[in-house]
Structures are given as structure tokens and as C-alpha cells.
Amino acid sequence: MTYVSRQFHLIDRPKGTPSSQSFSLVERQLTPPGPKQLLVKNLWLSVDPYMRGRMVDQPSYIAPFGLNEPLDGAAVGVVVESQDEAFAPGDMVSHFSGWRDRAVIDASAATLIESSLPAQTFLGPLGLPGQTAYVGLLRIGAAKAGETVFISAAAGAVGSIAAQIAKIKGCRVIGSTGSKDKERWLLEEAGIDVVINYRDTPDITAALMDAAPEGIDVYFDNVGGDHLEAAISAANDFAHFPLCGMIGQYNGEPVGPRNIFQVVTKRIRMEGFIVTDHSDMINDIHRDISLWINRGDIKWTETIVDGLENTPKAFIDLFNGKNTGKMIVRLDHSI
């Protein structure tokens, strides 16, 4: 049997915020899976802010997307055909051949999903976003009970999990976000202590200083720019700053903190990190986050976009603040 894959290709390198014109949906016939390979039908696709950096042809921790080639990213799908004894048709797997409806992948690139949790959880709390939150907060940020933690983009895929882990660990948590609905979710569902709506706040530094009169001990940075500057001003001596991402500058000119010298005077430890460098923690992450979800200590929310053809829109909407929690694309409406 032959199969056709509908897949998105990047056809130019966008300047500023990407538009749909940078993407092309094409059809390609797939070769049957060979030894140690799987044919997978994707059910859920992930779109993530880091993908914007891969649209620039420059050295980084992950290779840039090629032009006129399939885009990729995290996905969850069902095995249709298997040439590997470790997998059988019907198995649910996570893998990295997203932005398409079908893919032939090496079995070594697939992870069998054996969980009672919904499959898309492995793109959110148990996927790279949850892993990033856990590593950043607990290993890089070294957050401890009684400390004050500030998290920017706290209603996003990473920030929402980091905020709840901080509460589980006994921290006081301040989060920033940009809408009333996200404020409500963070306070009522995630249970954090204070929310700063940066769209309603003319001076985020002053707002953070008011929210944390005794200073902050950990800043989990997802935004950069004015948020990073505010966190430096509010930081206590020897604060830890895990730098996860800086979505505020992905589509424009970088804006650096004007008070960077305070990093020296306050002896702040800043560390950028990439979650894949911390694979030694994966078992702890899956154990703890699964436990916290099942106990009700971690709640998550998803913004679901239906249809493969809407994948570029879902991606672009990440930069317009239209997602609460994880932005995912659903390919099979029967799920």
C-alpha cells in the first residue's frame, strides 16, 4: 500500500513576525517503512516559540529548518505499520516528525506512550514544555520553599507548569501575563499568588517591586526585555535566573536590560539552558509530573486548533498571545 503525506514546507526565511506566505502545504508519496522503521499517522502536533529561531539560517543548539523541506517538531501519533518488533500497529507514540499528517520514522526516534493520561499530555506537561519547566525551576533555578519566584509568560506552555511546580515546592509565585482570562486562570486554576498584567501596567518594574516588596529569589525568564530588566531590579542578592526563552525579541530587535550591572552587584546567577542537555532527569520528571497531575496538584490547559492546514496560523498566534497553556493542532476530529 502506498501513502501520501501532507506536510508543511518553509519556503522563505521570514523577517519579523512570520506570515502564512512563508509556508506551503505540499503532498509527498511516502516509501514503505523499511527495517526498524514505522509508518505513523499523526493525531496531535505541537507548535512552539523556539521554532521561530529555526527559521533563521544561523548556528544554534538545533539546526535551522531547510527551505522547501518538511518542517518538524514534536508530535503524537498512532503506528499504522511497523517493521520493528518493539512496536505494533495501534501503538501510540511521541516523536519529532510534526507539521505533517503521516511520516515514516526510525523506530529509535519514537517513544511508546503507555499512560492513562490523554496522549496530547506528552506534548505539554509530560513533553518538552513540562520537562523545561521542571529543569529550569528545580535544577537551574534551585527554587526552595519560602522563596519568591517570578515567572514571565506564566500562562504559557512552560510558564504555567513552572508556576505550579513552584507552588508545589512551597514558593510564593508571581506571574506575568497579558489578558484578563489568563489572569483568572492563573489565580483560580493554577493557584499562584499574584498576577501582573503587563498590558495594563505602564511600568512593569514598579508593578513587580510592589508585588514583591521583599524581593524575588528566582526569575524564570520566558520573555526577556523589560521583564528581565524588572526582575534584575527586584532581585535579592544571590538570586537565580534560569533563562528559558525570550519571546519578546524573536521577531524584532533585541532589547537588553539597562541595569545589567546589578547582576554583578547582586551576584545574580543567570544561566541559559536547553532542556535536551538534561536528559538524565527524564525519569524523575515523568514520575513527579505524572504524580502531581494525578493528585490534582498540576492542572493544565490547552489551546486546540483543528486541522493540519491551520498549523501555520497556530504557530503565528503564539506571538499574538492567543494561547493559554499549550498550543496544539488536532488532526483527527474523532479524538
Side-chain angles (χ1 to χ4, degrees):
M1 182 178 293
T2 60
Y3 291 97
V4 171
S5 173
R6 298 169 66 227
Q7 51 192 233
F8 273 102
H9 292 195
L10 186 71
I11 59 174
D12 64 31
R13 300 205 179 275
K15 307 294 184 184
T17 303
S19 72
S20 59
Q21 281 68 44
S22 292
F23 305 91
S24 177
L25 182 59
V26 302
E27 292 188 355
R28 292 289 184 268
Q29 186 167 316
L30 296 175
T31 58
K36 302 295 183 182
Q37 288 190 319
L38 312 172
L39 171 65
V40 177
K41 175 188 176 184
N42 285 333
L43 304 179
W44 298 93
L45 306 178
S46 176
V47 289
D48 301 279
Y50 82 88
M51 293 173 174
R52 179 63 184 88
R54 297 189 66 193
M55 295 176 184
V56 180
D57 188 7
Q58 63 184 12
S60 186
Y61 64 92
I62 187 170
F65 291 126
L67 291 180
N68 301 304
E69 296 177 5
L71 293 148
D72 59 39
V76 167
V78 62
V79 175
V80 177
E81 293 184 17
S82 173
Q83 298 297 328
D84 186 284
E85 61 184 13
F87 298 90
D91 283 346
M92 197 76 71
V93 295
S94 63
H95 60 93
F96 208 68
S97 292
W99 288 79
R100 67 199 85 180
D101 59 2
R102 290 182 178 87
V104 172
I105 63 174
D106 292 339
S108 60
T111 300
L112 184 64
I113 294 176
E114 297 179 291
S115 174
S116 60
L117 294 170
Q120 71 269 29
T121 311
F122 289 81
L123 298 180
L126 288 172
L128 289 177
Q131 295 166 29
T132 300
Y134 188 105
V135 169
L137 188 74
L138 301 183
R139 173 170 280 179
I140 310 301
K144 297 183 289 294
E147 292 188 327
T148 297
V149 176
F150 174 44
I151 299 172
S152 54
V158 174
S160 61
I161 303 301
Q164 292 177 86
I165 294 174
K167 289 301 298 181
I168 290 167
K169 294 298 181 178
C171 300
R172 181 173 183 265
V173 181
I174 303 166
S176 75
T177 193
S179 78
K180 295 294 185 184
D181 286 344
K182 293 178 183 180
E183 280 188 63
R184 183 203 61 76
W185 189 87
L186 285 167
L187 292 169
E188 297 178 9
E189 300 293 330
I192 76 171
D193 298 284
V194 181
V195 177
I196 297 170
N197 187 328
Y198 62 84
R199 296 189 192 277
D200 294 342
T201 303
D203 186 342
I204 192 168
T205 296
L208 181 58
M209 300 287 271
D210 287 344
E214 297 183 3
I216 64 170
D217 304 293
V218 178
Y219 170 51
F220 196 112
D221 188 22
N222 294 303
V223 172
D226 58 350
H227 281 68
L228 180 55
E229 184 170 285
I232 291 171
S233 291
N236 290 324
D237 289 351
F238 304 105
H240 288 188
F241 281 27
L243 306 181
C244 170
M246 296 188 180
I247 195 171
Q249 66 182 49
Y250 288 176
N251 294 310
E253 289 297 319
V255 178
R258 295 165 295 181
N259 56 351
I260 191 68
F261 188 65
Q262 289 185 43
V263 173
V264 178
T265 60
K266 293 182 175 183
R267 289 86 84 204
I268 296 171
R269 176 173 291 185
M270 275 189 186
E271 184 176 345
F273 72 99
I274 304 298
V275 68
T276 50
D277 293 335
H278 301 271
S279 58
D280 61 301
M281 299 186 75
I282 193 67
N283 290 334
D284 291 341
I285 293 168
H286 280 171
R287 180 199 64 223
D288 290 348
I289 292 183
S290 295
L291 172 65
W292 294 332
I293 290 173
N294 287 324
R295 283 197 325 209
D297 294 334
I298 282 184
K299 300 177 178 65
W300 80 93
T301 185
E302 303 161 338
T303 301
I304 297 174
V305 174
D306 280 312
L308 175 68
E309 65 279 5
N310 291 317
T311 305
K313 180 181 184 300
F315 171 71
I316 294 164
D317 280 349
L318 291 171
F319 303 98
N320 299 324
K322 293 187 178 180
N323 64 299
T324 301
K326 185 75 188 79
M327 178 78 86
I328 52 177
V329 178
R330 177 168 51 191
L331 273 61
D332 188 336
H333 291 204
S334 68
I335 300 172

